[in-house]
Amino acid sequence: MLTSEFSLARRLTRMARFKRSSLAWQIEAAISKIHGSEAAWYVCDETIQILGGMGFMKEAGIERVLRDLRIFRIFEGTNDILRLFVALTGIQFAGEQLKDLQKVLKNPKANWNVLLGEGYKRAKRMAGFTTGPTLVPHVHSELTAEALLATRMVEAFGATIERVLMKHGKNIINEQFVLNRIAEAAIEIYGMVAVLSRASRALNENSPTGQHEQLMCNVFCEEAAGRIMGNLRGTSGSRNEARYAKLAQISRQVVDQGGLVQRHPLGF
């Protein structure tokens, strides 16, 4: 969790800079709010766990903090809605690019160079090569491996968004199980970039904490990459789709019943 809080600190710093500039920062704000409110809750809950029974006592002061923190996942936009916002906003940009490609396909002879470029990009992607900009030139040389990993995550994310849009089209707004995984992957990618930025600055400035921050960056990026790929893999596949259909069916049955469908184990 310490590496996660390291990521959060950098995200909030970047947000402050965005607000002082003319850049659009809605997605970054949503991501920071989601992660910040959930991380604060986790830290407070773990503090009570460590304190044991004393954590419940007013003398410790933690029980009030826990109650106060709970509202942050609701105020300023619930985290559930913000996750949909993060996913759909990113998908909207990719959808516009696909629309442009569809226009090109209507007149392939006049746009053969564009089609050739798109085909080359997809061939590189299938071969395991990146097709977009790399983060390597923007980070300290000691973080090259982490920058390459983040670049691969961005590439995998883009390919997944394209595949999801081609499969679901406009109906993607109804695929909330898929959208949630896309949002989680986007949040993790932003965290990787934020951590790389902070650790690079510390190393470039020869900060006394530079090596420590590099170590946390390494751990966070490795763990985040695993979570990202897990979420991206969960957006497709017959087994995942069948499981999502079952979850939707269970939800409808509970709503129709107005509560639990199964009998209470004690017969109440």
Side-chain angles (χ1 to χ4, degrees):
M1 191 60 194
L2 182 60
T3 56
S4 182
E5 304 323 305
F6 177 62
S7 165
L8 173 61
R10 184 57 184 174
R11 296 181 210 216
L12 295 177
T13 303
R14 288 174 62 86
M15 269 304 308
R17 290 179 179 173
F18 280 138
K19 291 195 71 173
R20 290 197 299 265
S21 71
S22 59
L23 297 173
W25 45 269
Q26 292 90 341
I27 294 181
E28 289 84 357
I31 289 175
S32 297
K33 191 268 183 182
I34 291 168
H35 184 73
S37 59
E38 293 179 357
W41 174 266
Y42 178 86
V43 169
C44 191
D45 182 64
E46 285 295 294
T47 301
I48 291 178
Q49 185 71 19
I50 292 171
L51 291 174
M54 179 58 69
F56 283 91
M57 303 297 121
K58 287 185 178 181
E59 290 76 9
I62 307 300
E63 48 86 27
R64 179 177 179 179
V65 176
L66 187 72
R67 285 185 281 113
D68 290 344
L69 282 175
R70 185 59 186 88
I71 198 62
F72 289 124
R73 286 188 281 166
I74 301 172
F75 277 175
E76 304 297 333
T78 66
N79 287 8
D80 311 276
I81 299 301
L82 288 178
R83 278 185 167 86
L84 292 177
F85 170 76
V86 169
L88 290 173
T89 302
I91 285 176
Q92 183 179 8
F93 175 76
E96 292 172 356
Q97 288 188 315
L98 286 178
K99 283 182 180 179
D100 292 339
L101 184 57
Q102 286 178 338
K103 293 178 182 178
V104 169
L105 289 171
K106 292 179 180 179
N107 191 4
K109 291 183 179 180
N111 299 284
W112 64 269
N113 56 331
V114 178
L115 292 176
L116 184 63
E118 288 293 329
Y120 178 67
K121 182 173 74 173
R122 283 159 176 74
K124 284 183 65 178
R125 186 182 290 166
M126 292 178 65
F129 296 101
T130 59
T131 61
T134 177
L135 295 173
V136 173
H138 306 288
V139 303
H140 191 275
S141 58
E142 293 291 329
L143 299 172
T144 298
E146 288 77 12
L148 286 171
L149 184 59
T151 300
R152 287 197 294 272
M153 293 303 102
V154 172
E155 189 76 20
F157 183 83
T160 299
I161 296 300
E162 189 174 286
R163 183 176 64 251
V164 165
L165 275 176
M166 293 177 67
K167 178 178 177 60
H168 298 288
K170 293 182 179 180
N171 194 52
I172 186 62
I173 62 174
N174 298 318
E175 300 294 329
Q176 293 192 21
F177 291 115
V178 174
L179 291 174
N180 184 67
R181 289 184 173 273
I182 290 173
E184 291 294 339
I187 292 169
E188 295 286 359
I189 289 173
Y190 182 62
M192 290 180 74
V193 175
V195 165
L196 278 165
S197 175
R198 172 164 176 161
S200 290
R201 181 175 181 177
L203 291 171
N204 287 330
E205 295 178 350
N206 294 317
S207 169
T209 64
Q211 294 300 317
H212 180 70
E213 293 189 35
Q214 177 187 350
L215 186 63
M216 286 200 291
C217 176
N218 175 266
V219 172
F220 180 84
C221 287
E222 286 185 1
E223 293 186 342
R227 293 190 293 267
I228 290 166
M229 292 309 298
N231 279 306
L232 295 181
R233 283 192 293 267
T235 62
S236 61
S238 57
R239 294 183 64 181
N240 289 325
E241 291 172 0
R243 186 171 70 255
Y244 297 154
K246 292 175 183 177
L247 286 169
Q249 183 180 359
I250 291 171
S251 299
R252 287 192 295 269
Q253 290 174 350
V254 171
V255 171
D256 292 341
Q257 179 71 16
L260 295 178
V261 178
Q262 70 274 18
R263 285 187 57 198
H264 193 283
L266 298 181
F268 298 159

